[in-house]
Amino acid sequence: MAQDVLQNFLNVRLFDLGGDDNKLNQLRDASADLAAKFKSDPAGIPSFVMVAIDSKVAPDEPIFRDVADVVGNRWNSYMGAFSDTTIPTVMRAVILEAIARSLDDDRVAIAVSLTARSLLPHLGSPMDVGLWTDIVTDADTRLETRARKEWALPSSTAVELPKIELPEIEDFTHRVMNVDWLTGQLAAAVGPSDKEGQALKNPNPHWPNAGNPWSFEFSPRAARAISAAVDGVSKATASYMTERAKADDRIRSALDQILAYVSKGSTMSKGLERRTSLLWWKESLYSPAADASYRNFTVGKTCAWMALDAVAITGPFAPRMAEALLAETLRSFHHEDADEPTSLAQLCSEVRDVGQNESILTSLAIVRSKAGRSQLASMIAQPDTVDIPATLGLPSDAKLSPVAFALWIYRDLQIAQATAVSGKPKRKAAQ
């Protein structure tokens, strides 16, 4: 965990527990419960981040109800310990503590990093900025490290072909019994001497005409001779098969090394493919999703289509340079207007204008909507009237440059992809 957030809130006296460590531990337990919820359902995290970094969030914010349920399970009487004006601060502290506890999950990290990246230029009190900047920095670092690794070029990553030494395997030859040896052993089982009258080693002391005494000696001697002959063949065969099995294991190990090498090379090829695709897209100024040139759209619609097309190329985990390329693509034909503050309501209205292309709203709808604070892309996709203050915590007359607007939607789509239910957690190496 990057820091003890709850203790930091107490240190700067944003709320007070009267020195009661039991109450502090109850809040920590509640934070651990909320962290578990974040990991099980990371798609909802952006709403919690939006609330946690806004010190002016209203006490009736719906997200607080979710946090209150978790806190109440650990501390039934917490409402009586704080004033009405302090409870939102306590809820924010619990959210930030829960985020800090769950940053070892890449899906949590991307939701925290990208949501904060969009909102911090507009929200965040200087009074408590130190309480959450470490968390955001940790999330940014984790996200950038993973993205750069996935986007590495072959020339920047040393990938050495493993040195493979395949074992030499002796050709299998048919093992046969030693007939001469077995003949001698059976002759000794038959009687005292061979046909030349030569005495045999440890022979049957009786001849067949002795009847029972001979048969009692013959059977075990003959059985031992035959068994020894068979054992000799089977032992040689078993020894070969054992060595062959060991050789197969070494071959499998060598193949595993080769597959790992190929996989690593494939990962780097993907990074190169993404970079090439982005450059092709930037130069063409053409939207594959809309099947039209960006020059055919209004500014707001262009921003949204660009965000959708960019995330289709980059995927959810992309380095910061991908954002820079998206911004430069927009600037390449909107020039100075791309960075000109523009009414956020107007930009949203242009995207929601289904007269141009209705499918964009369906594409944006993959971003989850929640009651209260929610992501920009989900607000645009909703059929109801855009409510900027309630959804984003910004004033209704807020302005964003087209570049900032496009990047915000792009980040929302990245989060949606990374935190989709089908996604698998990417854990830190306890690995």
Side-chain angles (χ1 to χ4, degrees):
M1 186 171 63
Q3 57 176 315
D4 189 335
V5 179
L6 289 169
Q7 187 62 57
N8 288 346
F9 267 73
L10 291 172
N11 290 344
V12 296
R13 300 185 181 280
L14 291 179
F15 64 88
D16 182 31
L17 294 175
D20 190 336
D21 286 344
N22 288 330
K23 293 178 180 178
L24 177 59
N25 288 333
Q26 287 173 314
L27 291 180
R28 284 177 174 153
D29 290 342
S31 298
D33 293 343
L34 187 58
K37 289 181 178 292
F38 285 165
K39 289 187 175 184
S40 66
D41 183 22
I45 292 176
S47 296
F48 290 90
V49 176
M50 296 172 79
V51 168
I53 65 177
D54 184 5
S55 61
K56 297 180 180 179
V57 64
D60 61 352
E61 164 60 43
I63 296 299
F64 284 150
R65 290 198 290 270
D66 294 339
V67 185
D69 289 341
V70 175
V71 174
N73 288 335
R74 292 288 184 173
W75 183 3
N76 293 331
S77 60
Y78 79 92
M79 291 286 289
F82 307 104
S83 66
D84 290 344
T85 56
T86 303
I87 286 180
T89 302
V90 177
M91 298 294 105
R92 290 176 54 233
V94 170
I95 293 172
L96 287 170
E97 176 82 13
I99 289 172
R101 288 172 177 264
S102 53
L103 276 183
D104 60 341
D105 187 316
D106 284 355
R107 301 169 304 161
V108 176
I110 195 172
V112 172
S113 173
L114 299 189
T115 302
R117 198 178 295 174
S118 295
L119 270 176
L120 287 186
H122 313 284
L123 291 178
S125 167
M127 297 295 294
D128 65 357
V129 65
L131 299 173
W132 42 260
T133 49
D134 282 351
I135 295 173
V136 174
T137 299
D138 287 350
D140 282 341
T141 301
R142 182 181 180 88
L143 179 60
E144 190 70 9
T145 299
R146 170 172 174 168
R148 290 190 179 186
K149 185 176 180 180
E150 291 187 4
W151 284 61
L153 293 174
S155 60
S156 63
T157 304
V159 180
E160 297 183 2
L161 181 65
K163 296 178 180 179
I164 307 298
E165 293 184 5
L166 294 177
E168 292 185 6
I169 304 173
E170 178 186 352
D171 290 339
F172 181 73
T173 56
H174 180 56
R175 267 61 174 178
V176 297
M177 292 183 184
N178 188 329
V179 176
D180 291 340
W181 179 87
L182 181 58
T183 299
Q185 293 296 307
L186 290 176
V190 169
S193 61
D194 60 17
K195 62 182 180 179
E196 282 82 22
Q198 297 293 324
L200 298 171
K201 184 179 179 179
N202 190 27
N204 186 336
H206 308 286
W207 287 109
N209 58 10
N212 287 346
W214 176 85
S215 66
F216 295 152
E217 288 287 337
F218 174 79
S219 297
R221 290 172 185 272
R224 285 195 297 271
I226 295 171
S227 175
V230 172
D231 286 348
V233 174
S234 62
K235 182 178 180 181
T237 304
S239 177
Y240 171 82
M241 296 306 295
T242 299
E243 289 303 312
R244 179 56 190 260
K246 291 178 180 178
D248 287 347
D249 287 341
R250 292 195 291 274
I251 292 172
R252 277 193 290 270
S253 177
L255 289 175
D256 287 343
Q257 293 179 58
I258 293 172
L259 288 173
Y261 169 80
V262 172
S263 176
K264 197 168 185 179
S266 174
T267 298
M268 290 188 298
S269 296
K270 287 181 181 178
L272 181 59
E273 180 182 353
R274 287 168 179 162
R275 292 167 186 260
T276 304
S277 297
L278 278 175
L279 290 174
W280 174 262
W281 167 73
K282 179 181 184 297
E283 292 304 311
S284 70
L285 296 180
Y286 188 87
S287 170
D291 196 19
S293 169
Y294 293 122
R295 297 184 188 278
N296 295 341
F297 302 122
T298 60
V299 175
K301 191 78 77 173
T302 297
C303 293
W305 277 125
M306 277 193 166
L308 282 163
D309 293 327
V311 81
I313 297 172
T314 68
F317 295 96
R320 292 291 287 264
M321 67 179 69
E323 291 191 1
L325 195 138
L326 171 56
E328 292 306 315
T329 303
L330 192 55
R331 291 184 181 114
S332 67
F333 66 98
H334 275 304
H335 305 296
E336 64 277 359
D337 292 340
D339 293 296
E340 188 68 26
T342 306
S343 166
L344 177 56
Q346 174 61 31
L347 291 170
C348 292
S349 176
E350 290 178 6
V351 179
R352 290 162 61 92
D353 178 10
V354 297
Q356 279 192 319
N357 199 317
E358 186 173 4
S359 65
I360 194 169
L361 299 181
T362 302
S363 299
L364 294 178
I366 69 167
V367 180
R368 182 187 295 187
S369 176
K370 287 179 70 73
R373 297 294 174 91
S374 196
Q375 293 162 276
L376 173 63
S378 68
M379 179 184 74
I380 296 172
Q382 293 305 304
D384 300 329
T385 304
V386 171
D387 189 342
I388 294 175
T391 305
L392 302 179
L394 303 180
S396 55
D397 60 352
K399 293 184 177 182
L400 286 181
S401 70
V403 166
F405 184 64
L407 289 176
W408 196 327
I409 296 173
Y410 170 65
R411 293 167 188 148
D412 284 354
L413 292 169
Q414 285 180 288
I415 295 169
Q417 281 193 9
T419 60
V421 174
S422 59
K424 294 182 180 181
K426 304 288 184 183
R427 294 184 177 277
K428 213 176 199 175
Q431 295 169 0

